[in-house]
Amino acid sequence: MFKSNNVTARLFERQICTSAPGTSIHRARRFYENIVPSYTIYDVECPDHSFRKFTDDGLYLVSFSRNHQDLVVYRPTWLTFSCKEEDCDTHDLPLKARKFESFFTQLYSVTLASSGELICKDFFLYMESNQFGLFATSTAQIHDAPPTGGAIQGVPSVEKITFHLLRLEDGAILDERVFHNDYVNLAHSIGAFLYDDLLAIVSLRYQRIHILQIRDSGDLVDVRAIGEFCREDDELFLNSNSQRVQCLKKKFYFHFQDYIDLIIWKVQFLDRHHLLIKFGSVDGGVSRNADSHPSFFAVYNMETTEIVAFYQNSADELYFLFELFSDHFHVSSKSSLHMNFMSSHSNNIHALEQLRCTKNKATNFSQFVKKMMASLPFSCQSQSPSPYFDQSLFRFDEKLISAIDRHRQSTDHPIKFISRRQPNILKFKMKPGPEAGSTDGRTKKICSFLFHPILPLALSVQQTLFLQASVVNIHFRR
């Protein structure tokens, strides 16, 4: 490996040396050791929006209005300004360059919510090949709704849930899909999974997995529904073969009631034909702390309607598959170049060492397995592909920041990114919140980080739990 930290020397070395076959992209990513966010503009004047994320190709920054009515999309640009002095690096940026508009250009604003609906600010899926975005709006939950029409007892009801498919280039609404008196877990896109052009939406209330295809024209087309029936003639078969069905039930009568009490919690695609489906109790399906409830995993073939494998969440076999082939659980597209370099314990030695260290410290292996399996199935597009989260390049405190798209408890101390190749060298640091720190240390604050997938550019957004104005910082390479 080339040892110089000078970017010019590294460029020259790239000119005269040829990469080993299949390593050119990995080699190019090492340049991010030299190209890092080196400057922060604190408490930027910016629109009072809820910033969601950059798209995985870096073309768009998605945000929502604070009243959860409008989608506002920006195009990331790069700061440009002129300086007449001899040594510009020692001067502060001009006031104009310190504004949000110097880094982002608003493309459009589109009203999505209507008739009492609000935008779910945690829900967004991106179809990179067509630059389509999928968003969701919903009315308020009804927690004590009666289980009518075959609904599950104990699952809330939402009068109207609407999924909106937009072309992000111009904000055109291409198609919509509405669910009435249903419940889909929209938080962090848990209730939907996108794989290439296939979309799976889980109805918790009616226990159906709706498989839709997103056509190039922007149409949402029904493919199948998996639930009470899996084949088109299942209902006819059951009605005409009731005695045969009763015999089948008797074969596993001892566990039959346990199985029929399970409901579908979550689903993800493993490929175009197989789903990983998580089952558990009704209480666990609607609880924020589902980890404490027992659960089961099924690998289901949609074409043959067969359950290929079935595991309890404490199964050693499933854990070892997860440890060896973690990347297979993260896949959401076979064509995306930007998502292929996220660090996991099946492709990164540092992540694997961290996992094994945690496993060795565990006093109860069965409980450790349950804790690890709690993350399955993975939420779609829940990790940032930014190279600054590449654990072969940088080391950082995952309690404070990680590639996973979640709010974190904020800290007044800078978050450090340390070089892996030179373990004692600080490459860059990022501090959320005001430059001088918070004036009230007793107020609980949370922060989120939005990293551009390609550029040395990131937003840190710090907010309190009392709906005060957010503090937005822009971190970039000056």
Side-chain angles (χ1 to χ4, degrees):
M1 182 186 290
F2 194 60
K3 299 297 183 183
S4 176
N5 284 319
N6 184 287
V7 68
T8 305
R10 295 185 77 158
L11 287 168
F12 178 71
E13 186 265 349
R14 186 176 68 174
Q15 293 287 331
I16 62 176
C17 298
T18 303
S19 301
T23 65
S24 58
I25 295 180
H26 292 279
R27 186 180 183 187
R29 285 172 64 83
R30 293 190 193 128
F31 279 86
Y32 284 99
E33 292 179 321
N34 299 79
I35 305 171
V36 298
S38 60
Y39 191 85
T40 299
I41 302 176
Y42 290 94
D43 204 358
V44 177
E45 284 186 32
C46 65
D48 187 21
H49 294 335
S50 175
F51 295 103
R52 178 65 185 93
K53 66 183 296 186
F54 290 100
T55 54
D56 294 333
D57 52 16
L59 293 178
Y60 306 98
L61 171 64
V62 172
S63 68
F64 306 113
S65 62
R66 191 62 69 178
N67 63 2
H68 299 166
Q69 297 289 309
D70 306 320
L71 163 69
V72 187
V73 174
Y74 294 89
R75 172 63 51 82
T77 54
W78 196 251
L79 177 65
T80 58
F81 65 95
S82 61
C83 177
K84 298 180 180 179
E85 306 294 333
E86 291 186 2
D87 187 5
C88 294
D89 289 339
T90 61
H91 292 271
D92 288 336
L93 294 176
L95 291 178
K96 184 178 180 181
R98 299 174 65 87
K99 294 185 177 181
F100 183 83
E101 292 77 15
S102 297
F103 294 85
F104 302 96
T105 301
Q106 181 175 323
L107 296 181
Y108 52 83
S109 176
V110 177
T111 299
L112 291 184
S114 61
S115 303
E117 289 183 284
L118 296 176
I119 294 175
C120 177
K121 62 184 180 65
D122 290 331
F123 187 95
F124 167 57
L125 297 178
Y126 181 55
M127 192 174 180
E128 187 176 328
S129 58
N130 297 89
Q131 296 182 15
F132 293 163
L134 188 72
F135 303 90
T137 58
S138 71
T139 55
Q141 289 187 25
I142 304 171
H143 290 280
D144 54 352
T148 57
I152 299 296
Q153 175 74 43
V155 177
S157 178
V158 178
E159 182 181 347
K160 185 181 180 185
I161 302 171
T162 308
F163 292 92
H164 310 262
L165 185 69
L166 272 76
R167 186 170 54 226
L168 288 187
E169 181 182 15
D170 56 9
I173 298 177
L174 304 175
D175 203 354
E176 294 180 343
R177 182 55 54 91
V178 180
F179 292 81
H180 291 286
N181 302 314
D182 207 332
Y183 183 79
V184 178
N185 193 345
L186 300 175
H188 305 292
S189 307
I190 287 175
F193 197 95
L194 181 65
Y195 182 90
D196 288 336
D197 60 342
L198 294 178
L199 175 66
I201 298 175
V202 179
S203 162
L204 278 176
R205 184 164 170 78
Y206 293 102
Q207 286 296 286
R208 296 190 189 103
I209 302 171
H210 299 271
I211 306 296
L212 296 90
Q213 184 180 33
I214 303 176
R215 298 282 176 85
D216 290 342
S217 59
D219 296 312
L220 291 168
V221 180
D222 289 311
V223 176
R224 58 169 55 89
I226 303 166
E228 185 179 3
F229 306 114
C230 299
R231 296 179 186 264
E232 293 181 356
D233 61 347
D234 278 354
E235 187 173 12
L236 176 63
F237 173 82
L238 292 173
N239 291 335
S240 58
N241 295 272
S242 57
Q243 291 183 344
R244 181 177 172 189
V245 172
Q246 291 301 322
C247 292
L248 291 173
K249 288 181 179 180
K250 290 179 182 178
K251 291 184 178 179
F252 57 104
Y253 179 79
F254 183 75
H255 292 292
F256 182 69
Q257 191 61 44
D258 294 335
Y259 290 139
I260 63 173
D261 286 342
L262 298 176
I263 69 166
I264 298 171
W265 282 2
K266 196 176 176 184
V267 68
Q268 76 167 97
F269 282 101
L270 295 175
D271 55 36
R272 294 187 68 87
H273 305 292
H274 293 87
L275 298 174
L276 178 64
I277 306 175
K278 189 173 189 176
F279 294 89
S281 66
V282 174
D283 292 339
V286 297
S287 169
R288 289 183 176 271
N289 187 22
D291 301 354
S292 59
H293 296 267
S295 57
F296 299 84
F297 297 91
V299 178
Y300 177 77
N301 187 317
M302 296 190 297
E303 305 300 324
T304 64
T305 69
E306 293 178 339
I307 291 181
V308 179
F310 192 79
Y311 305 95
Q312 194 166 357
N313 64 334
S314 58
D316 295 359
E317 182 182 357
L318 180 60
Y319 168 76
F320 290 122
L321 289 172
F322 172 72
E323 182 177 303
L324 292 172
F325 307 106
S326 175
D327 290 348
H328 291 264
F329 293 93
H330 281 287
V331 67
S332 62
S333 173
K334 60 187 178 184
S335 59
S336 174
L337 295 176
H338 305 94
M339 304 301 289
N340 292 339
F341 301 97
M342 293 185 299
S343 297
S344 73
H345 41 262
S346 61
N347 67 26
N348 186 283
I349 185 63
H350 305 288
L352 180 60
E353 287 176 357
Q354 191 175 31
L355 175 69
R356 288 177 174 170
C357 180
T358 304
K359 182 169 66 174
N360 293 334
K361 289 180 180 178
T363 55
N364 186 311
F365 183 70
S366 178
Q367 290 299 320
F368 167 77
V369 170
K370 289 181 180 179
K371 183 178 179 181
M372 297 304 299
M373 295 301 99
S375 60
L376 292 178
F378 284 120
S379 295
C380 186
Q381 299 178 8
S382 61
Q383 288 189 282
S384 168
S386 169
Y388 301 110
F389 292 121
D390 188 335
Q391 294 194 41
S392 63
L393 300 178
F394 301 100
R395 177 169 54 88
F396 44 86
D397 187 346
E398 291 202 72
K399 294 186 182 70
L400 302 177
I401 193 170
S402 77
I404 298 175
D405 178 23
R406 286 289 190 275
H407 294 294
R408 301 297 174 109
Q409 185 172 343
S410 187
T411 173
D412 288 331
H413 303 289
I415 299 172
K416 299 178 180 179
F417 287 75
I418 310 295
S419 170
R420 280 287 186 190
R421 195 158 55 90
Q422 298 171 296
N424 298 319
I425 301 298
L426 172 66
K427 283 298 182 178
F428 68 100
K429 55 186 177 181
M430 300 175 63
K431 182 181 179 300
E435 184 173 10
S438 174
T439 56
D440 185 3
R442 296 170 299 176
T443 304
K444 188 174 182 180
K445 300 176 289 292
I446 58 174
C447 66
S448 56
F449 294 89
L450 285 69
F451 275 73
H452 193 278
I454 302 166
L455 301 175
L457 173 68
L459 298 179
S460 61
V461 182
Q462 185 190 71
Q463 58 195 78
T464 66
L465 301 181
F466 301 105
L467 300 180
Q468 298 174 358
S470 300
V471 176
V472 178
N473 301 334
I474 298 180
H475 312 268
F476 68 105
R477 178 175 174 81
R478 180 173 172 177

